[in-house]
Amino acid sequence: MTPQEPTGRAPDIPPQARRAPRTTPDMATLKGIPVSAGISIGRAFFLNRSGVGPLPRQTLAESLTEAETVRLDKAFEQFGLEIDQARERIPAELKEHGLILDSHLMILKDPKLAGAAKKYIRSLRINAEWALDKAVDDLEKAFAALDDPYFRDRIQDVRTVAGRVQARLTGQASEMKAIENRVVLMAHDISPADTATLQTDKIMALVTVQGGKTSHTGILARTLGIPAVVGVTELEREVRDGDLVVVDGLRGVVVLSPGEAELERLSDLKYQFEAYQAGIMRGCHLPGETIDGYRVKVKANIEMLEEVPTVVNNGGEGIGLYRTEYSYMNRSKLPTEEELYQEYLDLATIMSPRRVTLRTLDAGADKFVSTLGALDERNPALGLRAIRLCMRHRDIFKTQLRAILRASLAGNVSVMFPMISGLREIRQAKAMLAEAKAELRQEGSRFEADMPVGIMMELPSAVMIAEILAREVDFFSIGTNDLIQYSLGIDRTNRYVSHMYQPLHPAVVRSIKHVVDAAHQAGIEVSLCGEMASDPFCVPILMGMQIDCISLTPQAIPGIKRIIRQATMDDCKKLLKLVLESPSVSRTNALVQETIFRQFPDELMFYSSLLDREDGPAH
């Protein structure tokens, strides 16, 4: 779930709006991807449409190809200058979005995009627009082959940058239109550069054609506390400026010119959701503690510094998982130790005294930098990734460990190694950490000598020897997304088998309990940082296991905290016992749904609409 702080504002709907239905016979509903929860009702206003239209395609005389590459360079340079200028103009409340501007600047400077386009200009003797389009197509195919949805979504950033360069090549770049009244802002896409000139006080909701679950539009909407739906492919064809629309960020739909009855229903739902948001936000800074006194730490999973304000505002008790991969993406050179140190130190300092857990690189060689070279892997999910990649490229790993150690001087930093399959990998990683400590001591650099070290428990092999691994580390963090995928042999992004991705499968529940028990027997803390941590059907079961900490998306923290505070440990243990005795996933799901709906009928009104999404947990 992704509840946001309520806007507290009534929708700006003029009286005549209810009497101005769309001329089409039936009310239309457009589907997309919900990225910021809530409901807004207002008039559509297009920031931009698909922009450059059909791209010109021309073949050139060989003598003109170099001039064409110069034209391409100038378009890249122009957009780069505009990004620099936009960074200076970003409103104070959106300053954190400068980091995304930096990432777009990295894409502009990355030779994989501009370099590939120039090769097409020279080899095929085609114009810059056509060549850039072909270069983006090539990158899109490469991104589509990645197994991680987060990395696949990064192609959206490449498309955005390329689209803005195309607009400058074709001379169709335009100034942003002024917004006179409060509107539902619609666009083909919203780039970080657009953020600099947005009149945020006049925007009720965001809807775009482009974008995925991790796109900039969602981050922007969550920062502003407004609903957003992305990936609405029919948006530009079906919606006109001034149309009355309802943006439902709970279900991921846009309702066009609703009739009187539907408008009244959605208005009621909007006010109910805002009242719910107000309630959970009032209690979000209270501890995650059951009625009978059992305390669960509730932390956040993030990948960018700009998410920190949301963590703090939503009552996050720390960062349970900081995905460090983002710093390695969309750049032609590896980040330096100093760059990583500054990033980690900033994060730790801002969050202090709350603890920050930095997960070392959890990526494959094809996911972040070209300098590692391409790998021909038939199954990347089972290939050279995470700790395996780091042990192959020890110089990269050592640089990151040194940066983490230096940042540990803040006093609240932990390090965590991903995709550990056995004892040998832990000892290898710890040996590298010891080498980094020795080097820093010799150089006179200070760090926290006893910085906590943990591992991700996400492979069945690690689960089976949890008692052995627990003797080697200070904490466990259970990554249920991969654990479920590897335990059940299910690719949750594969539409043919995604329905079989079942968090409450008996094998998964028993695996998690085994890890929790092994950790507690060894006297170490155990947390869980997968999607199960934000699933109200799973959290009471995890609490029954006496898990120490859950880490989830920042927006889900207030709602989950309230569920925890309305539960009792006695009830959670009883539910866990019934689940462990259940012989099948269908029986477990039915049992859990019946129990949870009975205990938290009001709480699940909005969760259930989110859990029904195709990408959500199956129940």
Side-chain angles (χ1 to χ4, degrees):
M1 175 175 184
T2 56
Q4 303 300 314
E5 189 171 358
T7 60
R9 300 185 294 235
D12 297 337
I13 310 174
Q16 64 271 27
R18 293 175 180 263
R19 298 190 296 273
R22 192 177 181 82
T23 55
T24 51
D26 300 310
M27 177 183 65
T29 300
L30 307 181
K31 293 184 178 181
I33 303 167
V35 292
S36 185
I39 295 175
S40 276
I41 305 170
R43 296 288 179 181
F45 181 93
F46 273 90
L47 172 68
N48 60 59
R49 291 184 179 261
S50 52
V52 297
L55 295 172
R57 298 193 172 196
Q58 302 168 344
T59 54
L60 308 171
E62 188 170 357
S63 60
L64 299 177
T65 56
E66 284 309 309
E68 198 68 4
T69 63
V70 170
R71 191 167 75 90
L72 181 70
D73 282 336
K74 286 183 177 178
F76 269 79
E77 183 180 354
Q78 181 185 354
F79 186 43
L81 290 172
E82 291 172 15
I83 288 179
D84 286 334
Q85 294 166 3
R87 190 189 286 136
E88 302 300 320
R89 300 194 306 266
I90 291 181
E93 68 270 22
L94 301 177
K95 278 294 182 186
E96 297 87 358
H97 289 255
L99 291 171
I100 300 185
L101 286 172
D102 292 340
S103 74
H104 280 212
L105 203 56
M106 289 177 186
I107 295 173
L108 276 174
K109 295 178 179 179
D110 192 327
K112 287 196 291 292
L113 182 59
K118 288 179 186 178
K119 285 181 182 178
Y120 277 127
I121 291 173
R122 294 181 180 120
S123 62
L124 301 181
R125 290 188 291 173
I126 58 177
N127 63 307
E129 293 91 339
W130 190 359
L132 181 57
D133 193 43
K134 288 178 69 64
V136 172
D137 283 345
D138 291 344
L139 284 173
E140 187 163 354
K141 291 173 185 175
F143 274 74
L146 301 179
D147 61 288
D148 191 318
Y150 174 78
F151 287 103
R152 282 202 304 271
D153 275 355
R154 299 281 61 79
I155 190 60
Q156 300 289 350
D157 296 327
V158 177
R159 286 198 201 103
T160 295
V161 170
R164 299 310 164 104
V165 174
Q166 292 283 20
R168 280 136 193 87
L169 284 170
T170 57
Q172 296 184 39
S174 58
E175 293 294 322
M176 188 178 296
K177 298 181 291 182
I179 303 175
E180 296 180 359
N181 303 305
R182 294 185 65 238
V183 297
V184 172
L185 192 69
M186 298 188 167
H188 186 75
D189 67 75
I190 298 173
S191 79
D194 292 331
T195 303
T197 50
L198 284 179
Q199 297 161 271
T200 56
D201 60 324
K202 294 181 179 179
I203 300 173
M204 304 166 64
L206 298 174
V207 186
T208 62
V209 176
Q210 298 285 359
K213 287 183 287 184
T214 61
S215 64
H216 168 67
T217 300
I219 296 171
L220 174 62
R222 292 191 293 269
T223 300
L224 296 175
I226 59 177
V229 180
V230 302
V232 185
T233 55
E234 300 297 312
L235 184 69
E236 294 169 317
R237 186 169 65 86
E238 294 292 334
V239 183
R240 302 180 297 266
D241 276 306
D243 279 354
L244 179 66
V245 296
V246 180
V247 179
D248 184 344
L250 299 171
R251 296 180 297 146
V253 299
V254 180
V255 181
L256 311 183
S257 297
E260 183 76 25
E262 181 68 3
L263 189 59
E264 184 174 350
R265 185 187 72 81
L266 289 169
S267 295
D268 288 344
L269 185 60
K270 168 187 167 62
Y271 293 124
Q272 289 178 53
F273 183 72
E274 289 182 352
Y276 168 75
Q277 285 181 305
I280 63 175
M281 291 305 294
R282 278 194 297 270
C284 73
H285 293 287
L286 296 171
E289 186 174 308
T290 63
I291 294 171
D292 47 359
Y294 179 74
R295 177 74 184 274
V296 182
K297 296 175 187 172
V298 184
K299 300 182 180 180
N301 301 333
I302 63 172
E303 55 253 349
M304 291 179 286
L305 278 170
E306 66 177 14
E307 297 176 273
V308 169
T310 306
V311 175
V312 175
N313 293 339
N314 285 4
E317 299 173 59
I319 304 298
L321 169 60
Y322 185 69
R323 300 181 179 97
T324 61
E325 297 79 46
Y326 192 87
S327 305
Y328 293 78
M329 293 166 52
N330 299 326
R331 55 190 302 159
S332 56
K333 294 181 180 179
L334 290 162
T336 65
E337 178 184 323
E338 193 63 27
E339 288 174 326
L340 294 176
Y341 162 65
Q342 289 295 337
E343 175 187 343
Y344 303 156
L345 183 62
D346 287 347
L347 175 64
T349 302
I350 296 169
M351 288 300 299
S352 181
R354 304 173 187 88
R355 182 152 290 278
V356 169
T357 300
L358 304 174
R359 183 180 67 186
T360 58
L361 266 173
D362 188 7
D366 57 342
K367 288 184 180 176
F368 53 97
V369 287
S370 58
T371 54
L372 297 183
L375 293 177
D376 182 15
E377 292 189 286
R378 190 175 294 272
N379 191 343
L382 300 178
L384 190 65
R385 54 167 289 203
I387 197 65
R388 304 168 184 178
L389 178 79
C390 289
M391 297 313 301
R392 183 182 178 97
H393 297 278
R394 295 181 178 230
D395 54 336
I396 297 174
F397 193 31
K398 179 73 72 65
T399 297
Q400 184 178 35
L401 291 177
R402 284 172 57 97
I404 291 172
L405 282 166
R406 290 172 60 195
S408 72
L409 203 59
N412 60 333
V413 174
S414 302
V415 65
M416 179 165 65
F417 303 125
M419 205 177 180
I420 294 294
S421 64
L423 191 60
R424 181 169 178 265
E425 286 167 332
I426 294 180
R427 290 181 173 171
Q428 285 180 326
K430 287 169 67 178
M432 288 289 291
L433 186 64
E435 287 180 23
K437 288 180 179 181
E439 290 178 4
L440 291 173
R441 283 194 193 99
Q442 191 171 13
E443 296 165 10
S445 297
R446 299 169 60 204
F447 57 89
E448 184 184 1
D450 296 324
M451 176 183 67
V453 176
I455 59 171
M456 294 285 293
M457 299 292 286
E458 51 194 341
L459 295 178
S461 62
V463 171
M464 295 300 293
I465 58 171
E467 298 89 346
I468 298 171
L469 303 184
R471 302 178 199 138
E472 298 285 327
V473 294
D474 300 307
F475 65 92
F476 283 160
S477 184
I478 305 171
T480 54
N481 296 354
D482 272 344
L483 180 60
I484 296 168
Q485 176 171 269
Y486 290 128
S487 296
L488 304 183
I490 297 298
D491 177 3
R492 62 190 180 132
T493 67
N494 184 319
R495 63 191 178 96
Y496 299 109
V497 297
S498 60
H499 65 283
M500 299 173 68
Y501 184 90
Q502 296 284 352
L504 295 180
H505 189 288
V508 174
V509 175
R510 294 179 189 191
S511 292
I512 295 171
K513 187 173 188 303
H514 178 68
V515 172
V516 173
D517 290 345
H520 288 165
Q521 286 167 11
I524 66 172
E525 185 177 276
V526 58
S527 66
L528 185 142
C529 61
E531 286 183 3
M532 287 180 71
S534 58
D535 186 339
F537 293 97
C538 297
V539 168
I541 296 168
L542 299 174
M543 290 166 58
M545 298 179 191
Q546 294 183 288
I547 201 151
D548 301 299
C549 172
I550 56 174
S551 189
L552 49 151
T553 177
Q555 293 73 35
I557 290 173
I560 288 296
K561 266 194 172 181
R562 190 154 91 169
I563 284 179
I564 292 171
R565 292 182 58 80
Q566 293 188 18
T568 68
M569 178 52 69
D570 186 53
D571 285 340
C572 292
K573 286 183 176 179
K574 288 178 181 177
L575 177 60
L576 173 63
K577 184 176 185 295
L578 292 174
V579 168
L580 289 172
E581 292 171 350
S582 175
S584 69
V585 67
S586 58
R587 170 63 185 147
T588 298
N589 286 342
L591 170 70
V592 170
Q593 283 194 22
E594 178 185 346
T595 303
I596 300 302
F597 272 113
R598 184 174 64 250
Q599 291 181 345
F600 309 105
D602 297 330
E603 299 297 313
L604 295 176
M605 175 179 178
F606 299 106
Y607 273 106
S608 57
S609 64
L610 291 165
L611 291 169
D612 287 340
R613 297 201 319 257
E614 189 174 341
D615 63 315
H619 288 294

